[in-house]
Structure formats: structure tokens, C-alpha cells
């Protein structure tokens, strides 16, 4: 059983518009996330309904996932659903003057993913507990990269 919600956040010393420019550049996740090796955005700029193919990695293991943007509200939120496991990943921006809090979440409705995903995580990716622990570490690293990029803009 998957944890229903995994979440991490960071406060960035930049206004929401600068942070949004970084967060909404989903193609750049390949250099920000330790698990995501490459993101291919299909069909133009990211918007509601945009499809992406992600190449993910854990050590020597590499696998693709297909995602679709399910929410896209500029300067507020972007979310995408992973077809293979039915999880939803999101970035929510909360402005507070010259700072912005970014919340990254992974939601597994009802604490469940697909049978295929659960089986592969159990057999090849260290089991759910270790896999999710790695996801949380990766979320913190991703947010750290987003913070560095946004504060440098």
C-alpha cells in the first residue's frame, strides 16, 4: 500500500512570478530531480492537457512513465498524473510578499497505485517503504534546485 500523500516544501526568497517561471519549466526536471533523468514535453509549451514522457532512474534501473498535466494555474499550481501508477504530482506556490513557499506533493488516491506499479516497486525498486523514502529525499533535492534557480533569476 502506498502512502496517500508524500509532501515537502521550501521557502524561496523570490516573488511568485520568478518561482513560477522555474516550476512550470517541467522539461528541466531532468536536471533538478534525482529520480527523473529526462522529461520530453509533447506538443508545445506546458499547459492543461500537455502530455509528457519521463525517463526515470534509480541506480542502474531506468524506466519510462507517461504523464498528463491535469491542473495548470499560472503562479499558483501545476499538477500531472502518471498513467502507469495513477499518482498525481503537483507543485503549489504560496506567495507571501517577496517570498514564495513551494509545496511538492505526490498523491496516491486511497493509498493505492496500480497493481503493475506496486509489483514493480516491490520486485525491482526496493519495496514501497524504501522507494517512498527515496522519493521524499528526491523531493527535497528537487525543491533545493528550484530554490537555487529561482533565487538566481
Amino acid at each position: 500500500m502506498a502512502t496517500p500523500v508524500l509532501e515537502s516544501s521550501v521557502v524561496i526568497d523570490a516573488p511568485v512570478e520568478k518561482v513560477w517561471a522555474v516550476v512550470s519549466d517541467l522539461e528541466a526536471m531532468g536536471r533538478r530531480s534525482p529520480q527523473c533523468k529526462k522529461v520530453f514535453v509533447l506538443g508545445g509549451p506546458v499547459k492543461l492537457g500537455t502530455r509528457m514522457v519521463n525517463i526515470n532512474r534509480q541506480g542502474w534501473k531506468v524506466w519510462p512513465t507517461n504523464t498528463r498535466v491535469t491542473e495548470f494555474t499560472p503562479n499558483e499550481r501545476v499538477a500531472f498524473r502518471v498513467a502507469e501508477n495513477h499518482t498525481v504530482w503537483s507543485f503549489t506556490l504560496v506567495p507571501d510578499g517577496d517570498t514564495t513557499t513551494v509545496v511538492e506533493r505526490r498523491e496516491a488516491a486511497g493509498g493505492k497505485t496500480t497493481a503493475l506499479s506496486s509489483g514493480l516497486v516491490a520486485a525491482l525498486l526496493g519495496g514501497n517503504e524504501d522507494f517512498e523514502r527515496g522519493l521524499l529525499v528526491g523531493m527535497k533535492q528537487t525543491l533545493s534546485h528550484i530554490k537555487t534557480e529561482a533565487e538566481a533569476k
Side-chain angles (χ1 to χ4, degrees):
M1 180 159 224
T3 302
V5 176
L6 298 176
E7 182 176 288
S8 188
S9 65
V10 67
V11 176
I12 299 175
D13 292 321
V16 71
E17 296 81 13
K18 285 186 178 183
V19 177
W20 177 254
V22 174
V23 167
S24 63
D25 181 5
L26 297 177
E27 208 160 32
M29 282 301 160
R31 70 172 186 268
R32 294 181 189 133
S33 167
Q35 186 181 62
C36 181
K37 184 173 183 172
K38 184 83 175 149
V39 175
F40 298 95
V41 174
L42 309 176
V46 175
K47 62 187 180 303
L48 185 64
T50 294
R51 293 190 54 212
M52 298 175 292
V53 175
N54 310 308
I55 306 301
N56 303 291
R57 66 178 172 222
Q58 183 189 70
W60 59 268
K61 297 164 250 174
V62 177
W63 68 96
T65 54
N66 295 282
T67 59
R68 182 178 299 272
V69 175
T70 57
E71 293 180 56
F72 190 85
T73 306
N75 299 323
E76 290 182 26
R77 183 172 161 88
V78 60
F80 47 93
R81 183 177 187 267
V82 180
E84 289 76 10
N85 63 17
H86 299 174
T87 61
V88 174
W89 286 81
S90 64
F91 292 92
T92 302
L93 283 61
V94 182
D96 185 14
D98 289 335
T99 67
T100 305
T101 299
V102 179
V103 180
E104 182 178 7
R105 291 176 64 126
R106 192 223 51 190
E107 298 175 60
K112 295 181 182 178
T113 61
T114 62
L116 175 63
S117 177
S118 295
L120 290 173
V121 166
L124 300 173
L125 298 175
N128 195 64
E129 189 174 310
D130 284 348
F131 182 68
E132 287 186 345
R133 189 176 307 115
L135 290 179
L136 284 167
V137 168
M139 291 165 93
K140 289 177 193 226
Q141 290 175 350
T142 300
L143 290 171
S144 176
H145 288 292
I146 289 171
K147 177 179 175 70
T148 299
E149 285 182 49
E151 289 179 351
K153 283 196 173 269

